[in-house]
Coordinates of all heavy atoms in Angstrom, one line a residue:
M12 N -6.1 12.0 0.2 CA -6.5 11.6 -1.1 C -5.9 10.2 -1.4 O -4.7 10.0 -1.1 CB -6.0 12.5 -2.2 CG -6.6 13.9 -2.1 SD -8.2 13.8 -2.7 CE -8.4 15.5 -3.3
T13 N -6.6 9.3 -2.0 CA -6.1 8.0 -2.4 C -5.1 8.2 -3.5 O -5.1 9.3 -4.1 CB -7.2 7.1 -2.8 OG1 -7.9 7.6 -3.9 CG2 -8.2 6.8 -1.6
A14 N -4.4 7.2 -3.8 CA -3.4 7.2 -4.9 C -3.5 5.8 -5.6 O -3.8 4.8 -5.0 CB -2.0 7.4 -4.4
L15 N -3.2 5.9 -6.9 CA -3.1 4.6 -7.7 C -1.7 4.4 -8.2 O -1.0 5.3 -8.7 CB -4.0 4.8 -9.0 CG -5.5 5.0 -8.7 CD1 -6.3 5.2 -10.0 CD2 -6.1 3.8 -7.9
W16 N -1.3 3.2 -7.9 CA 0.0 2.7 -8.4 C -0.3 2.0 -9.7 O -1.0 1.0 -9.7 CB 0.6 1.8 -7.4 CG 1.8 1.0 -7.7 CD1 2.1 0.3 -8.8 CD2 2.9 0.7 -6.8 NE1 3.3 -0.4 -8.7 CE2 3.8 -0.2 -7.4 CE3 3.1 1.1 -5.5 CZ2 4.9 -0.6 -6.8 CZ3 4.3 0.6 -4.9 CH2 5.2 -0.2 -5.5
I17 N 0.2 2.5 -10.8 CA -0.1 2.0 -12.1 C 1.2 1.5 -12.8 O 2.1 2.2 -13.0 CB -0.8 3.0 -13.0 CG1 -2.0 3.6 -12.3 CG2 -1.1 2.5 -14.4 CD1 -2.6 4.8 -13.0
A18 N 1.2 0.2 -13.1 CA 2.3 -0.4 -13.7 C 1.9 -1.1 -15.0 O 0.9 -1.8 -15.1 CB 2.9 -1.5 -12.8
H19 N 2.7 -0.8 -16.1 CA 2.6 -1.4 -17.4 C 3.8 -2.2 -17.6 O 4.9 -1.7 -17.6 CB 2.4 -0.4 -18.5 CG 1.3 0.6 -18.2 ND1 0.0 0.2 -18.3 CD2 1.3 1.9 -17.9 CE1 -0.8 1.3 -18.0 NE2 0.0 2.3 -17.7
V20 N 3.7 -3.5 -17.8 CA 4.8 -4.4 -17.7 C 4.9 -5.4 -18.9 O 3.9 -6.0 -19.3 CB 4.8 -5.3 -16.4 CG1 6.0 -6.2 -16.2 CG2 4.5 -4.4 -15.2
N21 N 6.1 -5.6 -19.4 CA 6.4 -6.7 -20.4 C 7.2 -7.7 -19.6 O 8.2 -7.4 -19.1 CB 7.2 -6.2 -21.6 CG 6.3 -5.6 -22.6 OD1 5.1 -5.8 -22.6 ND2 6.9 -4.9 -23.5
V22 N 6.6 -8.9 -19.5 CA 7.3 -10.0 -18.7 C 8.1 -10.8 -19.7 O 7.6 -11.3 -20.7 CB 6.2 -10.9 -18.0 CG1 6.9 -12.0 -17.3 CG2 5.4 -10.0 -17.1
I23 N 9.4 -10.9 -19.4 CA 10.3 -11.7 -20.2 C 10.4 -13.2 -19.7 O 10.5 -14.1 -20.5 CB 11.7 -11.0 -20.1 CG1 11.7 -9.6 -20.7 CG2 12.8 -11.9 -20.9 CD1 12.8 -8.7 -20.4
D24 N 10.4 -13.3 -18.4 CA 10.5 -14.7 -17.8 C 9.3 -14.8 -16.8 O 9.4 -14.4 -15.7 CB 11.8 -14.8 -17.1 CG 12.0 -16.2 -16.5 OD1 11.0 -16.9 -16.3 OD2 13.2 -16.5 -16.1
P25 N 8.2 -15.5 -17.3 CA 7.0 -15.6 -16.4 C 7.3 -16.3 -15.1 O 6.7 -15.9 -14.1 CB 6.0 -16.4 -17.3 CG 6.4 -16.2 -18.7 CD 7.9 -16.0 -18.6
E26 N 8.1 -17.3 -15.1 CA 8.4 -18.0 -13.8 C 9.1 -17.1 -12.8 O 8.7 -17.1 -11.6 CB 9.2 -19.3 -14.1 CG 9.4 -20.2 -12.9 CD 10.2 -21.4 -13.2 OE1 9.9 -22.0 -14.3 OE2 11.0 -21.8 -12.4
A27 N 10.1 -16.4 -13.3 CA 10.8 -15.5 -12.4 C 9.9 -14.3 -12.0 O 9.9 -13.9 -10.8 CB 12.0 -14.9 -13.1
Y28 N 9.0 -13.9 -12.9 CA 8.1 -12.8 -12.5 C 7.1 -13.3 -11.5 O 6.7 -12.5 -10.6 CB 7.3 -12.3 -13.8 CG 6.5 -11.1 -13.5 CD1 7.1 -9.8 -13.6 CD2 5.2 -11.2 -13.1 CE1 6.3 -8.7 -13.3 CE2 4.4 -10.0 -12.9 CZ 5.0 -8.8 -13.0 OH 4.2 -7.7 -12.7
G29 N 6.7 -14.5 -11.5 CA 5.8 -15.1 -10.5 C 6.5 -15.0 -9.1 O 5.8 -14.7 -8.1
R30 N 7.8 -15.2 -9.0 CA 8.4 -15.1 -7.7 C 8.4 -13.6 -7.2 O 8.2 -13.4 -6.0 CB 9.9 -15.6 -7.8 CG 10.0 -17.1 -8.0 CD 11.4 -17.6 -7.8 NE 12.2 -17.3 -8.9 CZ 12.3 -17.9 -10.1 NH1 11.6 -19.0 -10.3 NH2 13.2 -17.5 -11.0
Y31 N 8.6 -12.7 -8.2 CA 8.4 -11.3 -7.8 C 7.0 -11.0 -7.3 O 6.9 -10.4 -6.2 CB 8.7 -10.4 -9.0 CG 8.1 -9.0 -8.9 CD1 8.6 -8.1 -8.0 CD2 6.9 -8.7 -9.6 CE1 7.9 -6.8 -7.9 CE2 6.3 -7.5 -9.5 CZ 6.8 -6.6 -8.6 OH 6.1 -5.4 -8.5
A32 N 6.0 -11.4 -8.0 CA 4.6 -11.2 -7.6 C 4.3 -11.7 -6.2 O 3.6 -11.1 -5.4 CB 3.7 -11.7 -8.7
Q33 N 4.8 -12.9 -5.9 CA 4.6 -13.5 -4.6 C 5.3 -12.7 -3.5 O 4.7 -12.6 -2.4 CB 5.1 -15.0 -4.6 CG 4.2 -15.9 -5.3 CD 4.8 -17.3 -5.2 OE1 6.0 -17.6 -5.1 NE2 3.8 -18.3 -5.3
A34 N 6.4 -12.2 -3.8 CA 7.2 -11.4 -2.8 C 6.5 -10.0 -2.7 O 6.5 -9.4 -1.6 CB 8.6 -11.2 -3.2
A35 N 6.1 -9.4 -3.8 CA 5.6 -8.0 -3.8 C 4.2 -7.8 -3.2 O 3.9 -6.9 -2.5 CB 5.7 -7.4 -5.2
G36 N 3.4 -8.8 -3.5 CA 2.0 -8.7 -3.0 C 1.8 -8.4 -1.5 O 1.1 -7.5 -1.2
P37 N 2.4 -9.2 -0.7 CA 2.3 -8.9 0.8 C 2.9 -7.6 1.2 O 2.3 -6.9 2.1 CB 3.0 -10.1 1.4 CG 3.1 -11.2 0.4 CD 3.1 -10.5 -0.9
V38 N 3.9 -7.1 0.5 CA 4.5 -5.8 0.9 C 3.5 -4.7 0.5 O 3.3 -3.8 1.3 CB 5.8 -5.6 0.1 CG1 6.4 -4.2 0.4 CG2 6.8 -6.7 0.5
I39 N 2.9 -4.8 -0.7 CA 1.9 -3.8 -1.1 C 0.8 -3.8 -0.1 O 0.3 -2.7 0.3 CB 1.5 -4.1 -2.6 CG1 2.7 -3.7 -3.5 CG2 0.2 -3.4 -2.9 CD1 2.6 -4.2 -4.9
A40 N 0.3 -5.0 0.2 CA -0.8 -5.0 1.2 C -0.5 -4.4 2.6 O -1.3 -3.7 3.2 CB -1.3 -6.5 1.4
A41 N 0.8 -4.7 3.0 CA 1.2 -4.2 4.3 C 1.3 -2.6 4.3 O 1.2 -2.0 5.4 CB 2.6 -4.7 4.7
H42 N 1.4 -2.0 3.2 CA 1.4 -0.6 3.1 C 0.0 0.0 2.7 O -0.1 1.2 2.3 CB 2.4 -0.1 2.0 CG 3.8 -0.2 2.6 ND1 4.6 -1.4 2.5 CD2 4.6 0.7 3.2 CE1 5.8 -1.2 3.0 NE2 5.8 0.1 3.5
G43 N -1.0 -0.8 2.8 CA -2.4 -0.4 2.6 C -2.8 -0.5 1.1 O -3.9 0.0 0.8
G44 N -2.0 -1.1 0.3 CA -2.4 -1.3 -1.1 C -3.4 -2.4 -1.3 O -3.3 -3.4 -0.7
V45 N -4.3 -2.1 -2.2 CA -5.3 -3.1 -2.6 C -5.3 -3.2 -4.2 O -5.4 -2.1 -4.8 CB -6.7 -2.6 -2.2 CG1 -7.8 -3.6 -2.7 CG2 -6.7 -2.5 -0.7
F46 N -5.1 -4.4 -4.7 CA -5.1 -4.5 -6.1 C -6.5 -4.3 -6.7 O -7.5 -4.9 -6.3 CB -4.6 -5.9 -6.5 CG -3.1 -6.1 -6.3 CD1 -2.6 -6.8 -5.2 CD2 -2.2 -5.4 -7.1 CE1 -1.3 -6.9 -5.0 CE2 -0.8 -5.6 -6.9 CZ -0.4 -6.3 -5.8
L47 N -6.6 -3.5 -7.8 CA -7.8 -3.3 -8.5 C -7.7 -4.0 -9.8 O -8.8 -4.4 -10.4 CB -8.0 -1.8 -8.8 CG -8.0 -0.9 -7.5 CD1 -8.2 0.6 -7.9 CD2 -9.2 -1.4 -6.6
A48 N -6.6 -4.2 -10.4 CA -6.3 -4.9 -11.6 C -5.0 -5.5 -11.6 O -4.0 -4.9 -11.1 CB -6.5 -4.0 -12.9
R49 N -4.9 -6.8 -12.0 CA -3.6 -7.5 -11.9 C -3.5 -8.5 -13.1 O -3.8 -9.6 -12.9 CB -3.5 -8.2 -10.6 CG -2.1 -8.5 -10.1 CD -2.1 -9.0 -8.7 NE -0.8 -9.2 -8.2 CZ -0.4 -9.8 -7.1 NH1 -1.4 -10.2 -6.3 NH2 0.8 -9.9 -6.7
G50 N -3.0 -8.0 -14.2 CA -2.9 -8.9 -15.4 C -4.2 -9.2 -16.0 O -4.3 -10.2 -16.7
S51 N -5.2 -8.4 -15.8 CA -6.6 -8.6 -16.4 C -6.6 -8.3 -17.9 O -5.7 -7.7 -18.4 CB -7.6 -7.7 -15.6 OG -7.5 -7.9 -14.2
R52 N -7.7 -8.6 -18.4 CA -8.0 -8.3 -19.8 C -7.9 -6.8 -20.0 O -8.3 -6.0 -19.1 CB -9.4 -8.8 -20.2 CG -9.8 -8.6 -21.6 CD -11.2 -9.2 -21.8 NE -11.7 -8.7 -23.1 CZ -12.9 -8.3 -23.2 NH1 -13.8 -8.4 -22.2 NH2 -13.3 -7.8 -24.4
Y53 N -7.4 -6.3 -21.1 CA -7.3 -4.9 -21.4 C -7.4 -4.6 -22.9 O -7.2 -5.6 -23.7 CB -6.0 -4.3 -20.8 CG -4.7 -4.7 -21.7 CD1 -4.2 -3.9 -22.6 CD2 -4.2 -6.0 -21.5 CE1 -3.1 -4.2 -23.4 CE2 -3.1 -6.3 -22.3 CZ -2.5 -5.4 -23.2 OH -1.5 -5.8 -24.0
V54 N -7.6 -3.4 -23.2 CA -7.6 -2.9 -24.6 C -6.6 -1.8 -24.7 O -6.8 -0.8 -24.0 CB -9.0 -2.5 -25.1 CG1 -9.0 -1.9 -26.5 CG2 -10.0 -3.7 -25.0
Q55 N -5.6 -1.9 -25.5 CA -4.7 -0.8 -25.7 C -5.2 0.2 -26.8 O -5.3 -0.2 -27.9 CB -3.3 -1.3 -26.1 CG -2.2 -0.3 -26.2 CD -1.8 0.2 -24.9 OE1 -1.8 -0.5 -23.9 NE2 -1.4 1.4 -24.8
L56 N -5.5 1.4 -26.4 CA -6.1 2.4 -27.3 C -5.0 3.3 -27.9 O -5.1 3.7 -29.0 CB -7.2 3.2 -26.6 CG -8.4 2.4 -26.2 CD1 -9.3 3.2 -25.4 CD2 -9.0 1.7 -27.3
E57 N -4.0 3.7 -27.1 CA -2.9 4.6 -27.5 C -1.7 4.2 -26.8 O -1.7 3.6 -25.8 CB -3.3 6.0 -27.2 CG -4.4 6.6 -28.0 CD -4.6 8.1 -27.8 OE1 -3.6 8.8 -27.6 OE2 -5.7 8.5 -27.9
G58 N -0.5 4.7 -27.4 CA 0.7 4.6 -26.7 C 1.3 3.2 -26.8 O 0.9 2.3 -27.6
N59 N 2.4 3.0 -26.0 CA 3.1 1.7 -26.0 C 2.3 0.6 -25.3 O 1.8 0.8 -24.2 CB 4.5 1.9 -25.3 CG 5.3 2.9 -26.0 OD1 5.4 2.9 -27.2 ND2 6.0 3.8 -25.3
D60 N 2.2 -0.5 -25.9 CA 1.5 -1.7 -25.4 C 2.5 -2.5 -24.5 O 3.6 -2.8 -24.9 CB 1.0 -2.6 -26.5 CG 0.2 -3.7 -26.1 OD1 -0.5 -3.6 -25.1 OD2 0.3 -4.8 -26.7
R61 N 2.0 -2.8 -23.3 CA 2.7 -3.7 -22.4 C 1.7 -4.7 -22.0 O 0.6 -4.4 -21.6 CB 3.2 -2.9 -21.2 CG 4.2 -1.8 -21.5 CD 5.5 -2.0 -20.7 NE 6.4 -0.9 -20.9 CZ 7.6 -1.0 -21.4 NH1 8.1 -2.2 -21.7 NH2 8.4 0.0 -21.5
A62 N 2.1 -6.0 -22.1 CA 1.1 -7.1 -22.0 C 0.5 -7.3 -20.6 O -0.5 -7.9 -20.5 CB 1.8 -8.4 -22.4
R63 N 1.1 -6.7 -19.6 CA 0.6 -6.9 -18.2 C 0.4 -5.5 -17.6 O 1.3 -4.6 -17.6 CB 1.6 -7.7 -17.3 CG 1.0 -8.0 -15.9 CD 2.0 -8.9 -15.2 NE 1.5 -9.2 -13.9 CZ 0.5 -10.1 -13.6 NH1 0.0 -10.8 -14.5 NH2 0.1 -10.3 -12.3
N64 N -0.8 -5.3 -17.1 CA -1.1 -4.0 -16.4 C -1.6 -4.3 -15.0 O -2.4 -5.2 -14.8 CB -2.2 -3.3 -17.2 CG -1.8 -3.0 -18.7 OD1 -1.0 -2.1 -18.9 ND2 -2.2 -3.8 -19.6
V65 N -1.1 -3.5 -14.1 CA -1.4 -3.7 -12.7 C -1.8 -2.3 -12.1 O -1.1 -1.3 -12.3 CB -0.1 -4.2 -11.9 CG1 -0.5 -4.4 -10.4 CG2 0.3 -5.6 -12.5
V66 N -2.9 -2.3 -11.4 CA -3.3 -1.1 -10.7 C -3.6 -1.5 -9.2 O -4.3 -2.4 -9.0 CB -4.6 -0.5 -11.3 CG1 -5.0 0.8 -10.6 CG2 -4.4 -0.2 -12.8
A67 N -3.0 -0.7 -8.3 CA -3.3 -0.9 -6.9 C -3.6 0.5 -6.3 O -3.0 1.5 -6.7 CB -2.0 -1.5 -6.2
R68 N -4.6 0.5 -5.4 CA -5.0 1.7 -4.7 C -4.4 1.7 -3.3 O -4.4 0.7 -2.6 CB -6.5 1.7 -4.6 CG -7.0 3.0 -3.9 CD -8.6 3.1 -3.8 NE -9.0 2.0 -2.9 CZ -9.9 1.0 -3.3 NH1 -10.5 1.1 -4.5 NH2 -10.2 0.1 -2.5
F69 N -3.8 2.9 -3.0 CA -3.2 3.1 -1.7 C -4.0 4.3 -1.0 O -4.6 5.1 -1.6 CB -1.7 3.5 -1.9 CG -0.8 2.4 -2.2 CD1 -0.7 1.9 -3.5 CD2 -0.1 1.8 -1.2 CE1 0.1 0.8 -3.7 CE2 0.8 0.7 -1.4 CZ 0.9 0.2 -2.7
P70 N -3.8 4.4 0.3 CA -4.5 5.4 1.0 C -4.0 6.8 0.6 O -4.7 7.8 0.7 CB -4.1 5.2 2.5 CG -3.9 3.7 2.6 CD -3.2 3.4 1.2
S71 N -2.7 6.9 0.2 CA -2.2 8.2 -0.2 C -1.0 8.0 -1.1 O -0.4 6.9 -1.2 CB -1.7 9.0 1.0 OG -0.6 8.4 1.6
V72 N -0.6 9.1 -1.8 CA 0.7 9.1 -2.6 C 1.8 8.7 -1.7 O 2.7 7.9 -2.1 CB 0.9 10.4 -3.3 CG1 2.3 10.5 -3.9 CG2 -0.1 10.7 -4.4
E73 N 1.9 9.3 -0.5 CA 3.0 9.0 0.4 C 3.1 7.5 0.8 O 4.2 7.0 0.9 CB 2.8 9.9 1.7 CG 3.0 11.4 1.4 CD 1.8 12.1 0.8 OE1 0.7 11.5 0.7 OE2 2.0 13.2 0.2
D74 N 1.9 6.9 1.0 CA 1.9 5.5 1.3 C 2.4 4.6 0.2 O 3.2 3.7 0.4 CB 0.5 5.0 1.7 CG 0.0 5.5 3.0 OD1 0.8 5.5 4.0 OD2 -1.1 5.9 3.1
A75 N 2.0 5.0 -1.1 CA 2.5 4.3 -2.2 C 4.0 4.4 -2.4 O 4.7 3.5 -2.7 CB 1.7 4.7 -3.5
V76 N 4.5 5.7 -2.3 CA 5.9 5.9 -2.4 C 6.7 5.2 -1.3 O 7.8 4.6 -1.6 CB 6.2 7.4 -2.5 CG1 7.7 7.7 -2.4 CG2 5.6 8.1 -3.7
A77 N 6.2 5.2 -0.1 CA 6.9 4.6 1.0 C 6.9 3.1 0.7 O 8.0 2.4 1.0 CB 6.1 4.8 2.3
C78 N 5.9 2.5 0.2 CA 5.9 1.1 -0.2 C 7.0 0.8 -1.2 O 7.8 -0.1 -1.0 CB 4.5 0.7 -0.8 SG 4.5 -1.0 -1.3
Y79 N 7.0 1.6 -2.3 CA 8.1 1.4 -3.3 C 9.5 1.5 -2.8 O 10.3 0.7 -3.1 CB 7.9 2.4 -4.5 CG 8.8 2.1 -5.6 CD1 8.4 1.3 -6.6 CD2 10.0 2.8 -5.7 CE1 9.3 1.0 -7.7 CE2 10.9 2.5 -6.7 CZ 10.5 1.6 -7.7 OH 11.4 1.4 -8.8
N80 N 9.7 2.5 -1.9 CA 11.0 2.7 -1.3 C 11.4 1.8 -0.2 O 12.5 1.8 0.3 CB 11.2 4.2 -0.9 CG 11.2 5.1 -2.1 OD1 11.7 4.8 -3.2 ND2 10.7 6.3 -1.9
S81 N 10.4 1.0 0.3 CA 10.7 0.2 1.5 C 11.8 -0.9 1.1 O 11.9 -1.3 0.0 CB 9.4 -0.5 2.0 OG 9.0 -1.5 1.0
A82 N 12.5 -1.3 2.1 CA 13.5 -2.4 1.9 C 12.8 -3.7 1.4 O 13.4 -4.4 0.6 CB 14.2 -2.6 3.3
E83 N 11.6 -4.0 1.9 CA 10.9 -5.2 1.5 C 10.6 -5.1 0.0 O 10.7 -6.1 -0.7 CB 9.7 -5.4 2.4 CG 10.0 -5.6 3.8 CD 10.2 -4.3 4.6 OE1 10.0 -3.2 4.0 OE2 10.5 -4.4 5.8
Y84 N 10.1 -4.0 -0.4 CA 9.7 -3.9 -1.9 C 11.0 -3.9 -2.7 O 11.0 -4.5 -3.8 CB 8.8 -2.7 -2.2 CG 8.4 -2.8 -3.6 CD1 7.4 -3.6 -4.0 CD2 9.1 -2.0 -4.6 CE1 7.1 -3.7 -5.4 CE2 8.8 -2.2 -5.9 CZ 7.7 -3.0 -6.3 OH 7.4 -3.1 -7.7
Q85 N 12.0 -3.2 -2.3 CA 13.2 -3.2 -3.0 C 13.8 -4.6 -3.2 O 14.4 -4.9 -4.3 CB 14.2 -2.2 -2.4 CG 13.8 -0.7 -2.5 CD 13.7 -0.3 -4.0 OE1 14.7 -0.4 -4.7 NE2 12.6 0.3 -4.3
A86 N 13.6 -5.4 -2.2 CA 14.1 -6.8 -2.3 C 13.2 -7.5 -3.4 O 13.8 -8.3 -4.2 CB 14.0 -7.5 -1.0
A87 N 11.9 -7.3 -3.4 CA 11.1 -7.9 -4.4 C 11.4 -7.3 -5.8 O 11.5 -8.1 -6.8 CB 9.6 -7.6 -4.1
L88 N 11.7 -6.0 -5.9 CA 12.0 -5.4 -7.1 C 13.3 -6.0 -7.7 O 13.4 -6.2 -9.0 CB 12.2 -3.9 -6.9 CG 12.6 -3.1 -8.1 CD1 11.5 -3.1 -9.2 CD2 12.9 -1.6 -7.7
A89 N 14.2 -6.4 -6.9 CA 15.4 -7.0 -7.4 C 15.1 -8.3 -8.1 O 15.8 -8.8 -9.0 CB 16.4 -7.3 -6.2
L90 N 14.0 -9.0 -7.8 CA 13.6 -10.2 -8.5 C 12.9 -9.9 -9.8 O 13.0 -10.6 -10.8 CB 12.5 -11.0 -7.6 CG 13.0 -11.5 -6.3 CD1 11.8 -12.1 -5.5 CD2 14.1 -12.5 -6.4
R91 N 12.3 -8.7 -9.9 CA 11.6 -8.3 -11.1 C 12.5 -7.7 -12.2 O 12.3 -8.0 -13.4 CB 10.5 -7.3 -10.8 CG 9.7 -6.9 -12.1 CD 8.6 -5.9 -11.8 NE 9.1 -4.6 -11.4 CZ 9.7 -3.7 -12.2 NH1 9.9 -4.0 -13.4 NH2 10.0 -2.5 -11.7
L92 N 13.4 -7.0 -11.8 CA 14.2 -6.3 -12.8 C 14.9 -7.1 -13.9 O 14.8 -6.8 -15.0 CB 15.3 -5.4 -12.1 CG 14.7 -4.2 -11.3 CD1 15.9 -3.5 -10.6 CD2 14.0 -3.3 -12.2
P93 N 15.4 -8.3 -13.5 CA 16.0 -9.1 -14.6 C 15.0 -9.8 -15.5 O 15.3 -10.3 -16.6 CB 16.8 -10.2 -13.8 CG 16.8 -9.8 -12.4 CD 15.7 -8.9 -12.2
C94 N 13.7 -9.9 -15.1 CA 12.7 -10.7 -15.9 C 11.6 -9.9 -16.5 O 10.7 -10.5 -17.0 CB 12.2 -11.8 -15.0 SG 11.1 -11.2 -13.6
S95 N 11.7 -8.5 -16.4 CA 10.6 -7.7 -17.0 C 11.1 -6.3 -17.3 O 12.1 -5.9 -16.8 CB 9.4 -7.7 -16.1 OG 9.8 -7.0 -14.9
V96 N 10.3 -5.6 -18.1 CA 10.5 -4.2 -18.3 C 9.2 -3.5 -18.0 O 8.1 -3.9 -18.4 CB 10.8 -3.9 -19.8 CG1 11.0 -2.5 -20.1 CG2 12.1 -4.7 -20.3
A97 N 9.3 -2.4 -17.2 CA 8.1 -1.8 -16.7 C 8.1 -0.3 -16.7 O 9.2 0.3 -16.6 CB 7.8 -2.3 -15.3
D98 N 6.9 0.3 -16.8 CA 6.7 1.7 -16.5 C 5.8 1.8 -15.3 O 4.7 1.1 -15.4 CB 6.0 2.4 -17.7 CG 6.9 2.4 -19.0 OD1 8.1 2.7 -18.9 OD2 6.4 2.1 -20.1
I99 N 6.2 2.5 -14.3 CA 5.4 2.6 -13.1 C 5.2 4.1 -12.7 O 6.1 4.9 -12.8 CB 6.0 1.9 -11.9 CG1 6.2 0.4 -12.3 CG2 5.2 2.0 -10.6 CD1 7.0 -0.4 -11.2
A100 N 3.9 4.4 -12.4 CA 3.6 5.8 -12.0 C 2.6 5.7 -10.8 O 1.9 4.7 -10.7 CB 2.9 6.6 -13.1
I101 N 2.7 6.7 -9.9 CA 1.8 6.8 -8.8 C 1.0 8.1 -9.1 O 1.6 9.1 -9.3 CB 2.5 6.8 -7.5 CG1 3.2 5.5 -7.2 CG2 1.5 7.1 -6.3 CD1 4.2 5.5 -6.1
V102 N -0.3 7.9 -9.1 CA -1.2 9.0 -9.5 C -2.1 9.3 -8.3 O -2.8 8.4 -7.8 CB -2.0 8.7 -10.8 CG1 -2.9 9.8 -11.1 CG2 -1.1 8.3 -11.9
E103 N -2.2 10.6 -7.9 CA -3.1 10.9 -6.8 C -4.5 11.0 -7.4 O -4.8 11.5 -8.4 CB -2.8 12.3 -6.3 CG -3.6 12.7 -5.0 CD -3.1 13.9 -4.4 OE1 -3.0 15.0 -5.0 OE2 -2.7 13.8 -3.2
G104 N -5.4 10.4 -6.6 CA -6.9 10.4 -7.0 C -7.5 11.7 -6.5 O -6.8 12.6 -6.0
Y105 N -8.8 11.8 -6.7 CA -9.5 13.0 -6.3 C -10.9 12.5 -5.8 O -11.4 11.5 -6.2 CB -9.6 14.1 -7.3 CG -10.3 13.7 -8.6 CD1 -11.7 13.9 -8.7 CD2 -9.7 13.1 -9.7 CE1 -12.4 13.6 -9.9 CE2 -10.4 12.7 -10.8 CZ -11.7 13.0 -10.9 OH -12.4 12.6 -12.0
E106 N -11.5 13.3 -5.0 CA -12.8 13.0 -4.4 C -13.8 13.5 -5.4 O -13.7 14.6 -5.9 CB -13.0 13.7 -3.1 CG -11.9 13.3 -2.0 CD -12.0 11.8 -1.7 OE1 -13.2 11.3 -1.6 OE2 -11.0 11.2 -1.5
T107 N -14.9 12.8 -5.6 CA -16.0 13.2 -6.4 C -17.1 13.7 -5.5 O -17.3 13.2 -4.4 CB -16.5 12.1 -7.3 OG1 -16.9 11.0 -6.5 CG2 -15.4 11.7 -8.3
A108 N -17.9 14.6 -5.9 CA -18.9 15.2 -5.1 C -20.2 14.3 -5.2 O -20.4 13.6 -6.0 CB -19.3 16.6 -5.6

């Protein structure tokens, strides 16, 4: 089953966040991740609003978790933590008939 990495982010320092995005993108791709949305237009209907929303599809939950836990992503994450606040979840998809 595929999985979606869903991040809702408030960026405090756009320049520093850009460095994170440059570092994280190739790591996500190396783990089979493909971006479906990355800071695109959105409409907040309920809950807490975060100005940046990112969705990446992975081959599986395990691949997405392995990406997040990898040394390469953790190095990128160290760039993001001081410049943003985020909620991140990995959600398993399902097959449609």
Side-chain angles (χ1 to χ4, degrees):
M12 296 285 208
T13 62
L15 298 176
W16 171 317
I17 303 169
H19 305 289
V20 185
N21 278 341
V22 176
I23 298 163
D24 180 344
E26 186 175 319
Y28 188 86
R30 289 190 290 276
Y31 155 76
Q33 286 182 330
V38 177
I39 289 169
H42 284 87
V45 176
F46 288 104
L47 303 178
R49 198 173 188 186
S51 308
R52 181 177 165 225
Y53 74 99
V54 176
Q55 184 71 32
L56 298 176
E57 291 187 33
N59 298 318
D60 184 35
R61 300 233 188 238
R63 184 172 180 82
N64 298 282
V65 179
V66 179
R68 183 182 59 236
F69 282 82
S71 69
V72 167
E73 292 77 15
D74 289 317
V76 171
C78 177
Y79 186 88
N80 290 329
S81 71
E83 297 82 5
Y84 185 79
Q85 291 298 305
L88 180 60
L90 299 173
R91 183 183 63 74
L92 290 176
C94 68
S95 67
V96 176
D98 296 314
I99 299 175
I101 297 169
V102 179
E103 187 172 57
Y105 63 91
E106 301 297 323
T107 59

